[in-house]
Amino acid sequence: MTGVNRNFLYHNNGDGTFTDVTERAGVPGMDAKGSKLWSVGAAWLDYDNDGYLDLFVDNYLDWSWASSKVCGEEGKRLSCSPLMYAGRPNILYHNNGDGTFTDASESTGIAHFIGKGMGLAIADYDDDGFMDIFVGNDVMGNFLFKNLAGQGFTEVAIEAGVAYTEDGLPISNMGVDFRDLNDDGRPDLVISSLGGDTFQLYLNTGQGFFLPATFQAGLGYGTLKMSGWGVGAYDLDNDGRKDVFTANSHVSENADFYGHDLYKQPNAVFLNLGNGRFRNVAAEAGPAMQAAAAHRGCAFGDLNNDGRIDVVVSAIGQPAELLYNTSANDNHWILIQVEGRKSNRDGIGTKIKLTGESGRVQYNHVTTCVSYLSSSDKRVHFGLGADRRIREIELRWPSGKVQVVREVAADQILKVREE
């Protein structure tokens, strides 16, 4: 769990209780000089493929009560711009395999980059077998940390075309998902941002860089007045195409006083139309989607195991919203639960290629790091449309092993153990 001035690691005792092992594990959330940090995103990943899950934490502003600024009119205070504060370095903890971690930020090059991290996601964007890290920064260029065969990282966001908007501007990036949206086998990036900035979509070319596709995809003008936080790319209607869900709200509770933006906003669902474009169908998605609130994070998973992805959305000042997916259609699905080796039993980083009986090919990978300040279901979901069977499921484990399962029935939770 991340926080201001301190993070927490709770060990699951297996009996319904947890033990705070933060200090013993060595992950309190401080920089190399012992300074306290404001941490936001956290991701489990095995960056060196040794079978043990490492921990990446992105950090936000160099803020304290003593340095806190006051913005807005008396009685109508606003959140101050992050431009008024310095950024902080991120942290990479290497798993020692004995319940402890070593801060590897300096040795891997992560500590050399000062950011204002918010959204965080992992994927092997260049298909070299090692997980890469994307950090969405607030009003400064994003970071794309390219994994150098587990030995370190180099930051390549500018070269890859994902540091700024296609106009070359830094914006208020909030949540992010790093997932293949057009099923070409390459992870793409979808990023939510605050009002006045459109959400961003970057398509992976497979040649080391991404192409901006926000407006071509229909996510430009439709998101201009939205302030998005949590975001996830999931097939919500099981038609075989990943849709996009966003949790929305302005950052400042007094935004309404200034006439430009609304503080409380409804969430959004962008349906994947299959031609490279998306359409906001929130108005058709039921009364729960019309509820305006101070939404922030959102987590995804099939909570009732009916094959449809549900969403849990956090909201400031009120209980979390539990959105059960009740999409009515005859489309088929599968949930794949993998079991890897050593400490990475969740198989995080495993890449999955699925070929349906119709010949349609889809791609996904195992990760819990999605959205903003959230952790999602580790099981990998595929919508199958009319396909009742699956020809082949290919799993590329972080260990490098390739495993193939053939002739699988749809509409089930399939458990696959690394051989």
Side-chain angles (χ1 to χ4, degrees):
M1 293 179 62
T2 58
V4 179
N5 297 331
R6 180 175 170 80
N7 299 329
F8 296 89
L9 177 61
Y10 293 104
H11 180 264
N12 190 330
N13 300 321
D15 60 1
T17 66
F18 292 79
T19 299
D20 185 344
V21 297
T22 312
E23 298 301 328
R24 187 174 74 203
V27 292
M30 296 183 182
D31 64 16
K33 298 179 181 179
S35 300
K36 296 179 179 179
L37 298 170
W38 178 350
S39 299
V40 179
W44 294 108
L45 76 159
D46 182 3
Y47 77 87
D48 55 356
N49 290 348
D50 65 354
Y52 296 100
L53 284 176
D54 310 300
L55 177 62
F56 185 96
V57 180
D58 74 3
N59 297 301
Y60 193 39
L61 305 178
D62 184 5
W63 175 93
S64 68
W65 285 111
S67 65
S68 186
K69 310 292 193 300
V70 176
C71 298
E73 302 172 12
E74 184 67 36
K76 302 178 182 178
R77 297 301 187 204
L78 294 173
S79 297
C80 292
S81 169
L83 295 173
M84 302 178 72
Y85 301 91
R88 300 307 304 267
N90 301 309
I91 305 177
L92 178 63
Y93 295 105
H94 181 264
N95 190 332
N96 301 320
D98 60 0
T100 68
F101 294 78
T102 297
D103 188 336
S105 311
E106 187 68 33
S107 62
T108 58
I110 293 295
H112 303 165
F113 298 92
I114 306 300
K116 300 177 182 179
M118 297 295 274
L120 169 65
I122 62 169
D124 181 9
Y125 86 95
D126 53 359
D127 201 29
D128 66 352
F130 291 87
M131 298 302 283
D132 309 297
I133 304 168
F134 180 86
V135 178
N137 286 311
D138 192 2
V139 198
M140 65 170 288
N142 301 314
F143 293 151
L144 177 57
F145 292 110
K146 175 180 167 59
N147 193 328
L148 303 175
Q151 302 304 304
F153 292 84
T154 183
E155 202 287 296
V156 298
I158 292 179
E159 302 96 297
V162 295
Y164 306 106
T165 68
E166 56 187 306
D167 297 322
L169 300 174
I171 61 174
S172 297
N173 299 293
M174 296 291 114
V176 59
D177 201 357
F178 206 167
R179 208 178 295 272
D180 185 3
L181 278 162
N182 54 3
D183 287 317
D184 61 0
R186 300 186 289 263
D188 308 303
L189 281 162
V190 58
I191 309 169
S192 61
S193 57
L194 297 185
D197 300 319
T198 66
F199 298 171
Q200 298 295 305
L201 175 63
Y202 298 98
L203 297 179
N204 190 338
T205 66
Q207 299 174 334
F209 63 92
F210 296 70
L211 292 176
T214 304
F215 286 90
Q216 299 95 308
L219 295 174
Y221 296 113
T223 63
L224 189 60
K225 291 188 176 182
M226 292 181 188
S227 286
W229 295 80
V231 60
Y234 288 82
D235 185 354
L236 299 175
D237 58 357
N238 285 339
D239 66 349
R241 298 186 289 264
K242 297 181 189 72
D243 311 298
V244 175
F245 179 100
T246 63
N248 302 328
S249 168
H250 197 274
V251 64
S252 293
E253 64 182 29
N254 288 328
D256 305 60
F257 287 120
Y258 292 87
H260 301 295
D261 300 286
L262 294 176
Y263 175 50
K264 295 184 177 182
Q265 299 179 15
N267 299 316
V269 176
F270 296 93
L271 184 70
N272 189 332
L273 302 178
N275 57 359
R277 294 185 61 80
F278 294 80
R279 179 171 64 89
N280 186 2
V281 296
E284 308 160 27
M289 287 297 299
Q290 316 310 317
H295 300 116
R296 286 298 186 265
C298 55
F300 302 84
D302 184 359
L303 298 177
N304 54 359
N305 293 327
D306 66 351
R308 293 173 291 199
I309 293 296
D310 310 301
V311 190
V312 181
V313 186
S314 65
I316 296 174
Q318 67 183 64
E321 297 174 1
L322 178 52
L323 304 177
Y324 276 107
N325 188 336
T326 58
S327 300
N329 56 51
D330 296 324
N331 292 333
H332 300 283
W333 55 274
I334 192 165
L335 277 168
I336 302 174
Q337 181 173 328
V338 304
E339 183 178 332
R341 61 191 180 96
K342 293 186 180 179
S343 78
N344 190 6
R345 293 198 177 276
D346 292 335
I348 288 176
T350 302
K351 292 182 278 189
I352 302 177
K353 175 184 177 182
L354 181 147
T355 305
E357 65 179 354
S358 64
R360 174 186 285 180
V361 179
Q362 298 183 57
Y363 299 84
N364 214 326
H365 65 279
V366 181
T367 178
T368 60
C369 185
V370 181
S371 182
Y372 164 83
L373 281 175
S374 307
S375 185
S376 291
D377 193 342
K378 65 184 179 183
R379 300 175 300 179
V380 180
H381 170 267
F382 289 92
L384 301 174
D387 288 356
R388 295 177 178 272
R389 295 193 63 80
I390 299 164
R391 288 185 191 175
E392 182 178 281
I393 301 172
E394 179 186 287
L395 300 97
R396 293 174 59 188
W397 299 91
S399 64
K401 294 180 181 178
V402 177
Q403 189 171 339
V404 178
V405 181
R406 294 185 174 88
E407 296 302 323
V408 177
D411 305 328
Q412 65 163 312
I413 300 171
L414 180 70
K415 297 182 179 180
V416 182
R417 178 177 296 177
E418 183 176 7
E419 295 178 344

